[in-house]
Amino acid sequence: MPYTVEFKPRAESQYLAWKKHKPEIADCIDKLLEALETDPYHGIGRPEELHGNLHGFLSRRIAKNQWLVYDVTGSKVFVYSCHGQYSDLAHFG
């Protein structure tokens, strides 16, 4: 089943900042996004389910200390963050 990827506002601004300041990181994110469209549960970036206050979310590693955090609802993948570590995530929106 193909999936559609949508950025939440915070993740979109983070992604645009990567494109402007570190395009090599944005290229890594692009590869992860492409993989999410095929299968958000398996593939590159070591996907894993998160626990605790982030239960229900998944993550994939972008680079050292940088994670893509998302959830899956039906055939949609919502990206909440593409910058920092889990401890940096007070809330999503």
Side-chain angles (χ1 to χ4, degrees):
M1 163 187 353
Y3 292 85
T4 303
V5 177
E6 287 186 26
F7 279 101
K8 293 294 188 174
R10 173 184 176 158
E12 184 174 21
S13 64
Q14 292 169 340
Y15 176 72
L16 294 174
W18 283 126
K19 284 188 86 71
K20 182 176 181 179
H21 300 290
K22 287 212 171 186
E24 65 277 9
I25 297 289
D27 290 343
C28 291
I29 294 169
D30 289 338
K31 290 176 185 169
L32 293 175
L33 295 174
E34 190 175 304
L36 288 175
E37 290 175 343
T38 304
D39 186 348
Y41 302 102
H42 303 95
I44 63 172
R46 298 189 326 215
E48 67 176 280
E49 293 183 28
L50 301 179
H51 306 283
N53 66 336
L54 296 176
H55 177 75
F57 291 93
L58 297 104
S59 72
R60 290 185 186 226
R61 187 176 187 155
I62 300 167
K64 184 178 181 181
N65 299 323
Q66 303 298 330
W67 299 89
L68 184 80
V69 178
Y70 61 96
D71 74 353
V72 182
T73 303
S75 63
K76 290 197 175 202
V77 177
F78 296 98
V79 178
Y80 289 84
S81 178
C82 56
H83 186 276
Q85 297 185 351
Y86 311 133
S87 60
D88 300 334
L89 305 172
H91 61 82
F92 295 119

